[in-house]
Amino acid sequence: MKNIIFILLFTVVQTAFANNILTENQKLATTCKIWGFLKYYHPNVANGSKNWDEQLFTILPQVEKAQTKEDFLLILENWINSLGEVKETTPIAQPKDVEYFDKNFDLSWVTNSKILSKSLSKKLKFIEKNRYKGKQYYVQYDLYSGNILQFNNEVKYADFKLTDKNLHILTLFRYWNYVEYFFPYKYQMDQKWDITLEKMIPLFMAAKNEDDFYNAMQRLTVKLNDSHVVFYKHSDPDSNKILNYFPAKCKIIDEKIVVTEIRADSLAEAQNIKIGTVITKINDKTIKEIIAENRDLIAASNVSFYLDRLTESVLSGYSDTVKLEFLQDGKYITKTINWYNEHDSHRNEYKKGAKIKKEKFKVLDNNIGYVDMEILQVKNVPDMIETLQSTKAIIFDIRNHPKDTNYAIAEYLNPEPKEFVKFIDPDLSFPGRYIWRNGIETCGRINLDYYKGKVILLVNEKSISHSEYTAMCLKVAPNATIIGSQTAGADGANARFHVMKGFQTSFTCYGVFYPNIKETQRIGIVPDIEVKPTIKGIQEGKDEILDCALQFIETGK
């Protein structure tokens, strides 16, 4: 009996002791959250009066030495106390004309009793209620500036050393909190952002060189599931590495890579590469294997855009040659071919006049108008409408990046103004919260002489950001139909910023929704008629999306 009691008592003591221990990951994750919260909420920090990076560097050794949960939490409380008094202020009343969007907002962690003490939670809640009311020092948001969302006043560390663990942690903490408070689609990520933090800390701590650090940052940014996200480092001027390319554009279809456009005629011909050529392996790896192994390395809102960006990535490299397996006439043939530098591999694109000059708009057979939205400019819109006014349909090809022509075009397509989009913007007075922008954006004007024919919009994975916005705008026209495949799923403006010296990244900085609050992020612009290119169609020189549009105009199906 005594032995049983002893075992029970020992178990209770061990459990209590275990509950008093926090892992290194837990300590750093909690420190990251509190450091970011204070950066944007504490009146004596958000105003820029503290060297906030140095504050982190000072606290990190203490956090590392903390052996118990009590020790760790006491360090955090003493740190907060050292920042100066937070005065109790009059409760901030919610403006009557402000409507909040709260799917993205979550400060529930400040009351997490599994990690934080009651007294620490109470301090954090008090700071939230009496938060900084002035102009944020570390973040700026201006719809009318060249770069809408900016993280200014951050030290860039010109002598950034990739062996400095403190700078590794600082970079992770900075970026994680940028996203935590100022990325509008955090709630749509595949993996909760808190879990991402916990999983990324070991990667950043283990980074021993530039490649390790770059890999960790790349994997972190990919977790946003945002097609606007890019992450790259500025090239080292002393580096001898030269990126080489395949002399053609390609597309992944049915787990095969298919050549869709030749970029350098003579180089492609020398390698027997032509439109419709099918590649089944790259350096002995199947395309299926390549698709699977790169998912954590390439940012994308959805699979369609991932495959498009993956194609560009795997058809370039730092070696001079690449081993490819081709499928030709039912047989698999393996060849080693040359990569080429950018100028040579993109020769068709660099040669002026080498390609037939594209027409901004034209009349196709059967009195059907066609507009290339990539080259049409606002000044061309009146002439375009005049030329195509009597056609029975106009096809607007948005499988590209339009030049801000959507509002000008919409004036000719609608009999009256039409609502087509709502926005959310970050509320810098309450970091992490978003507010609905006043009103619903409209396009078009009173116009009894509007275009009466069918309006067809062509989209695919190349339709990203402003392309998607353009499709939303033109879709409200009478008799408008979207034909094609899933778009990139990254509507709204793209914020670009340096997260640390030599490392630049970006993400979507405000939210875009249909008037009925339906989301576009990750989903993209959903076609009314879905059409995807096939290998057979490409080999036969067809544009199957355009062909479907022409058929729909004639038959209605």
Side-chain angles (χ1 to χ4, degrees):
M1 185 66 178
K2 288 183 178 179
N3 286 339
I4 294 174
I5 293 173
F6 174 78
I7 292 171
L8 288 173
L9 287 172
F10 180 78
T11 302
V12 169
V13 170
Q14 285 292 93
T15 301
F17 182 75
N19 287 338
N20 194 34
I21 299 297
L22 293 176
T23 65
E24 200 65 27
N25 249 28
Q26 287 175 317
K27 290 193 294 183
L28 285 174
T30 303
T31 303
C32 173
K33 290 182 178 182
I34 291 178
W35 180 81
F37 173 82
L38 297 173
K39 182 176 184 178
Y40 300 117
Y41 274 79
H42 198 294
N44 302 329
V45 177
N47 62 2
S49 61
K50 308 286 185 186
N51 186 327
W52 201 231
D53 293 354
E54 286 300 324
Q55 289 273 339
L56 178 63
F57 298 151
T58 300
I59 204 74
L60 283 176
Q62 300 176 47
V63 167
E64 185 178 5
K65 290 178 183 177
Q67 297 296 310
T68 67
K69 180 177 176 180
E70 282 78 3
D71 290 343
F72 170 64
L73 296 180
L74 184 59
I75 288 168
L76 295 180
E77 282 205 58
N78 289 337
W79 177 34
I80 294 173
N81 291 338
S82 74
L83 299 175
E85 181 186 4
V86 176
K87 295 181 179 179
E88 188 167 5
T89 59
T90 305
I92 303 171
Q94 180 173 321
K96 293 181 180 179
D97 59 342
V98 170
E99 182 184 358
Y100 284 102
F101 175 90
D102 279 335
K103 284 186 179 181
N104 218 44
F105 183 65
D106 185 10
L107 286 178
S108 61
W109 62 269
V110 304
T111 56
N112 183 356
S113 59
K114 292 181 180 179
I115 300 291
L116 305 181
S117 63
K118 288 183 179 179
S119 60
L120 182 53
S121 290
K122 186 177 179 181
K123 283 183 186 294
L124 296 175
K125 288 299 292 183
F126 183 82
I127 292 169
E128 178 192 341
K129 290 180 180 178
N130 299 278
R131 60 189 176 275
Y132 180 60
K133 297 183 179 67
K135 182 179 179 181
Q136 289 280 347
Y137 181 75
Y138 293 106
V139 59
Q140 296 76 38
Y141 185 81
D142 181 0
L143 281 172
Y144 305 103
S145 69
N147 197 9
I148 294 172
L149 177 68
Q150 299 179 61
F151 300 104
N152 288 338
N153 300 317
E154 298 278 29
V155 180
K156 296 297 189 293
Y157 297 97
D159 58 345
F160 179 78
K161 293 181 178 61
L162 290 161
T163 54
D164 189 331
K165 287 291 190 292
N166 276 352
L167 288 179
H168 289 186
I169 293 172
L170 172 64
T171 306
L172 171 60
F173 283 17
R174 270 189 190 178
Y175 185 84
W176 190 87
N177 282 290
Y178 290 166
V179 174
E180 173 73 0
Y181 293 102
F182 307 110
F183 178 59
Y185 298 116
K186 184 182 64 175
Y187 69 99
Q188 285 188 299
M189 296 178 190
D190 287 341
Q191 179 173 278
K192 288 186 179 297
W193 195 229
D194 285 357
I195 295 175
T196 295
L197 175 61
E198 293 171 6
K199 289 188 174 183
M200 288 297 162
I201 287 172
L203 282 181
F204 279 81
M205 293 294 287
K208 296 179 181 179
N209 53 47
E210 182 173 346
D211 288 340
D212 288 347
F213 181 79
Y214 178 80
N215 180 269
M217 272 301 304
Q218 190 174 19
R219 289 176 182 273
L220 174 63
T221 61
V222 167
K223 292 301 181 183
L224 272 65
N225 303 121
D226 179 21
S227 295
H228 266 148
V229 165
V230 294
F231 175 71
Y232 59 91
K233 55 186 175 180
H234 295 299
S235 299
D236 181 348
D238 298 323
S239 174
N240 293 320
K241 288 184 176 181
I242 298 175
L243 192 60
N244 294 317
Y245 299 86
F246 188 65
K249 290 183 179 180
C250 299
K251 183 178 180 66
I252 293 178
I253 301 176
D254 299 333
E255 297 179 342
K256 299 178 181 66
I257 291 180
V258 187
V259 173
T260 58
E261 182 182 331
I262 302 301
R263 280 177 156 165
D265 293 325
S266 59
L267 299 182
E269 186 176 352
Q271 306 280 2
N272 195 27
I273 295 166
K274 54 190 176 182
I275 291 176
T277 293
V278 176
I279 301 168
T280 50
K281 286 184 180 179
I282 299 177
N283 290 328
D284 297 319
K285 289 185 179 180
T286 67
I287 308 308
K288 182 177 181 179
E289 289 172 333
I290 291 170
I291 291 171
E293 71 183 20
N294 282 279
R295 287 192 181 274
D296 289 335
L297 297 173
I298 295 176
S301 298
N302 52 46
V303 173
S304 299
F305 189 78
Y306 167 69
L307 295 179
D308 184 61
R309 191 172 269 183
L310 174 65
T311 307
E312 297 174 4
S313 174
V314 298
L315 290 176
S316 62
Y318 290 106
S319 61
D320 295 326
T321 60
V322 60
K323 184 179 179 183
L324 300 177
E325 181 186 82
F326 297 92
L327 177 58
Q328 296 177 354
D329 301 321
K331 297 179 180 179
Y332 294 95
I333 301 170
T334 300
K335 293 191 294 185
T336 297
I337 73 164
N338 294 325
W339 289 125
Y340 300 95
N341 64 50
E342 184 176 13
H343 186 274
D344 285 341
S345 64
H346 296 60
R347 197 172 286 171
N348 289 0
E349 298 163 16
Y350 283 114
K351 283 184 178 179
K352 291 183 179 179
K355 298 175 73 175
I356 298 173
K357 187 176 180 180
K358 290 183 177 181
E359 295 180 83
K360 298 179 179 68
F361 53 88
K362 57 187 174 181
V363 179
L364 306 176
D365 292 341
N366 299 322
N367 195 31
I368 297 172
Y370 174 86
V371 181
D372 186 336
M373 294 290 282
E374 186 171 31
I375 57 177
L376 185 79
Q377 298 183 42
V378 173
K379 65 182 181 181
N380 307 131
V381 172
D383 288 343
M384 178 269 291
I385 291 295
E386 183 178 353
T387 302
L388 306 181
Q389 182 71 36
S390 61
T391 57
K392 59 185 176 185
I394 301 177
I395 298 172
F396 294 94
D397 197 337
I398 320 178
R399 296 172 292 177
N400 46 51
H401 195 77
K403 300 186 182 302
D404 298 314
T405 52
N406 53 303
Y407 285 103
I409 294 171
E411 291 194 354
Y412 295 95
L413 301 185
N414 294 288
E416 59 188 0
K418 296 285 188 68
E419 295 180 340
F420 75 98
V421 66
K422 283 177 67 72
F423 303 98
I424 57 170
D425 297 305
D427 180 2
L428 297 195
S429 71
F430 207 153
R433 288 194 94 171
Y434 279 77
I435 55 178
W436 288 104
R437 200 179 297 175
N438 287 335
I440 300 176
E441 188 79 6
T442 64
C443 62
R445 59 184 171 88
I446 299 294
N447 182 8
L448 298 180
D449 191 31
Y450 71 96
Y451 179 73
K452 306 297 194 305
K454 290 182 178 179
V455 173
I456 309 298
L457 313 175
L458 306 186
V459 300
N460 65 3
E461 69 281 353
K462 299 287 188 185
S463 307
I464 180 173
S465 193
H466 187 64
S467 307
E468 295 175 291
Y469 186 73
T470 297
M472 292 176 71
C473 177
L474 301 187
K475 179 61 171 70
V476 297
N479 299 319
T481 303
I482 299 178
I483 297 176
S485 57
Q486 185 180 39
T487 62
D491 217 337
N494 190 17
R496 298 175 178 85
F497 55 92
H498 287 85
V499 67
M500 189 62 70
K501 177 223 171 184
F503 296 93
Q504 190 167 350
T505 186
S506 63
F507 57 66
T508 306
C509 65
Y510 61 68
V512 177
F513 300 77
Y514 287 101
N516 64 359
I517 316 303
K518 183 180 177 182
E519 291 146 329
T520 62
Q521 182 73 7
R522 302 203 66 182
I523 301 166
I525 307 303
V526 179
D528 298 302
I529 301 174
E530 185 178 42
V531 185
K532 296 180 179 180
T534 63
I535 295 176
K536 183 174 182 293
I538 292 170
Q539 291 173 336
E540 293 175 353
K542 295 180 179 178
D543 182 342
E544 289 163 287
I545 293 178
L546 178 59
D547 290 345
C548 177
L550 295 172
Q551 177 181 309
F552 174 76
I553 291 167
E554 298 297 340
T555 67
K557 58 184 178 180

